Amino acid sequence: MSSPEGLVDETVSPDGTVSPDGTGSSDGEAVRGGDGPRQERRQALEAVAAAALSAVTVTVAAATLHAGPLVGASAGPVTLVGCLGVAAVTPALVRIDIAERRLPNVLVGVTAGAWGVSTVLLVPGGGIATAATSLAFALVAAVLGLVAAIAGGLGMGDVKLGAVLTGLVATGSPAALLGLWALAGTFAVGVAGVRTFGSRSRRVGTPPRPELASVSRGIPFGPCLLASFWCVVASPSVAVAVDAVVTVP
């Protein structure tokens, strides 16, 4: 908008930042580009976390190579493909779901693609029944998740991620599959309890933040699913390590 003299109006925000379009700036970071280093640090931390999870996957595969299947699938490249795919996107999924209550399709698609490749790799080794079991349990998880989503208990991102993670662990013992969802539910209940306690202990008189109202509702179930998945993945190597310590002469 222009003034009668033909000059462009300028709006000054409370911190002195001038906005030529009249919208202002709350902190001036957008003008100064101050969010750049923060975003770079965040990306670096996510890369480190993904590398750490990948290292855990490789370590677990090596520890269980001679002790039985890892998360139910055949040890080796078949298992690594699926777990490494999940490891690559776990940090970003956790951050986004906590901050925005959503799981981007592109990131969930990475996990689905890794699971699909790992399932296909089972076939040449004679694991057709195992691959069929993985697909069947993933389908069951998707249908049940869709029912829960319609009832308002889950988001569609949670449904998709839950189906993929179910497919990855379903080829193992029933304990792995039950452990995935039992731990996810336990983590979700724990998060709900912490949030409830925090809201009750919040200082009276704190001004509300309407812009965060839509984000603050609900429990971020994606991180709960991912945490339980990695607990299930790590459990075989933990058992091997404990057995090795116990049997040391």
Side-chain angles (χ1 to χ4, degrees):
M1 181 176 66
S2 299
S3 63
E5 293 79 15
L7 301 178
V8 177
D9 288 345
E10 293 182 343
T11 302
V12 181
S13 63
D15 66 345
T17 303
V18 178
S19 174
D21 60 358
T23 58
S25 175
S26 60
D27 56 3
E29 292 296 332
V31 177
R32 295 189 297 268
D35 191 48
R38 183 184 305 175
Q39 183 176 3
E40 292 175 359
R41 287 194 299 269
R42 183 178 62 207
Q43 292 174 346
L45 288 174
E46 290 181 358
V48 170
L53 291 175
S54 300
V56 168
T57 301
V58 175
T59 302
V60 170
T64 57
L65 192 58
H66 303 291
L70 170 65
V71 198
S74 302
V78 174
T79 299
L80 287 176
V81 170
C83 291
L84 290 176
V86 178
V89 297
T90 290
L93 284 174
V94 170
R95 175 182 60 80
I96 294 173
D97 200 15
I98 290 176
E100 305 177 19
R101 297 297 187 275
R102 68 185 184 91
L103 297 169
N105 286 332
V106 64
L107 297 181
V108 177
V110 172
T111 66
W115 165 58
V117 172
S118 66
T119 303
V120 170
L121 290 176
L122 287 170
V123 177
I128 298 179
T130 302
T133 300
S134 176
L135 291 172
F137 275 101
L139 180 60
V140 170
V143 172
L144 294 178
L146 182 59
V147 173
I150 294 174
L154 287 178
M156 288 306 300
D158 299 325
V159 175
K160 300 170 189 174
L161 181 62
V164 171
L165 298 183
T166 297
L168 281 170
V169 304
T171 55
S173 64
L177 183 57
L178 293 175
L180 173 71
W181 287 99
L183 285 174
T186 301
F187 291 149
V189 171
V191 171
V194 170
R195 290 187 59 190
T196 300
F197 177 80
S199 62
R200 289 183 178 180
S201 61
R202 186 177 303 165
R203 183 162 49 94
V204 178
T206 302
R209 302 180 65 181
E211 70 276 9
L212 298 181
S214 61
V215 176
S216 62
R217 294 195 299 267
I219 302 299
F221 193 56
C224 299
L225 278 170
L226 290 165
S228 62
F229 172 80
W230 288 111
C231 287
V232 171
V233 167
S235 59
S237 62
V238 172
V240 170
V242 171
D243 183 68
V245 171
V246 172
T247 56
V248 169

